[in-house]
Amino acid sequence: DQQVKQNSPSLSVQEGRISILNCDYTNSMFDYFLWYKKYPAEGPTFLISISSIKDKNEDGRFTVFLNKSAKHLSLHIVPSQPGDSAVYFCAATGPGGGTYKYIFGTGTRLKVLA
Amino acid sequence: DTAVSQTPKYLVTQMGNDKSIKCEQNLGHDTMYWYKQDSKKFLKIMFSYNNKELIINETVPNRFSPKSPDKAHLNLHINSLELGDSAVYFCASSRGGGANYGYTFGSGTRLTVV
């Protein structure tokens, strides 16, 4: 049972435009969410997090939005840069945000075209 | 200076062999993990250790045995390797359950069983 889903396996965006990566989850007990970026032959790198008490968290060019009623989160990258080309994973855990077990989605490969 | 290092990076071995993957972190984290990324790109947790104690064991065959000699090390030993064990194995560490800053991942060990 896949509790965290990223339904778009890939996405292409022009440099300078907005990239929107989506993630859906099914477990209503999830209350803490992370986004990771992964380059080939490297481990995933933490990007940004959000807890369920917020609906938005921003860090530079990266913003994560959480819609609890829809069980949906999205990562916005503005403006997109060629160096952002990577696979992006969302991950969720709960309750309490510290259960030592994040469930990952299957990732979305973002390609930013120069 | 690598924060989470795994060795070896690549491992090719025959069915039935026993092999180990080593992981070390120099971040002072108290929790370490093993994740498996299969051919469908699912990143799935296998084990979680907090202060050298096993706290998560996710229905992994008992051919897989993690060993944590101290908080900075978490090794993975696999007995009687099978073709289906071929995957990329990621070690990770975190402070507590990984809220706020997520996990720090190693660069992965690509295991190929032939």
Side-chain angles (χ1 to χ4, degrees):
Chain A
D1 177 28
Q2 199 181 335
Q3 299 182 69
V4 178
K5 299 178 187 179
Q6 293 176 257
N7 291 319
S8 299
S10 63
L11 174 69
S12 290
V13 169
Q14 284 295 132
E15 182 179 5
R17 308 293 280 266
I18 183 171
S19 294
I20 300 176
L21 297 108
N22 294 305
C23 179
D24 297 295
Y25 60 97
T26 57
N27 189 337
S28 57
M29 298 296 283
F30 287 153
D31 63 356
Y32 212 88
F33 306 88
L34 306 178
W35 281 95
Y36 284 84
K37 179 165 86 170
K38 185 183 181 303
Y39 293 118
E42 294 184 13
T45 304
F46 171 74
L47 204 53
I48 193 167
S49 65
I50 190 166
S51 80
S52 59
I53 61 172
K54 294 185 174 183
D55 53 20
K56 177 182 170 181
N57 190 24
E58 207 169 338
D59 184 0
R61 297 184 297 114
F62 301 91
T63 304
V64 56
F65 295 92
L66 175 62
N67 182 334
K68 288 186 289 293
S69 60
K71 294 195 185 71
H72 176 85
L73 62 154
S74 60
L75 175 68
H76 293 210
I77 307 173
V78 184
S80 302
Q81 299 174 354
D84 296 330
S85 297
V87 177
Y88 289 79
F89 291 94
C90 68
T93 192
T99 57
Y100 304 91
K101 185 173 93 171
Y102 276 91
I103 308 295
F104 281 78
T106 48
T108 297
R109 183 178 300 278
L110 173 66
K111 192 168 184 180
V112 180
L113 308 167
Chain B
D1 195 20
T2 307
V4 179
S5 59
Q6 297 178 228
T7 53
K9 195 168 177 64
Y10 300 96
L11 185 53
V12 181
T13 187
Q14 290 189 325
M15 278 175 56
N17 283 351
D18 303 338
K19 289 293 177 187
S20 291
I21 307 172
K22 295 187 176 182
C23 179
E24 176 181 4
Q25 55 96 2
N26 62 7
L27 298 165
H29 287 166
D30 54 359
T31 308
M32 295 186 73
Y33 312 82
W34 279 108
Y35 271 80
K36 177 180 178 181
Q37 187 178 33
D38 61 20
S39 57
K40 293 183 181 174
K41 305 302 180 189
F42 282 106
L43 256 173
K44 201 167 175 188
I45 190 163
M46 301 173 69
F47 301 103
S48 169
Y49 270 74
N50 177 254
N51 286 316
K52 301 195 304 171
E53 286 197 29
L54 179 67
I55 50 174
I56 290 188
N57 180 343
E58 281 289 296
T59 323
V60 176
N62 56 17
R63 297 183 295 105
F64 290 78
S65 52
K67 293 266 187 329
S68 182
D70 54 57
K71 285 197 309 183
H73 295 84
L74 180 62
N75 304 323
L76 184 65
H77 188 76
I78 316 170
N79 288 330
S80 304
L81 277 154
E82 300 177 357
L83 292 176
D85 297 332
S86 296
V88 181
Y89 292 83
F90 288 99
C91 176
S93 71
S94 69
R95 187 172 297 126
N100 296 321
Y101 299 106
Y103 303 164
T104 302
F105 280 88
S107 57
T109 295
R110 182 174 293 277
L111 171 66
T112 304
V113 183
V114 297

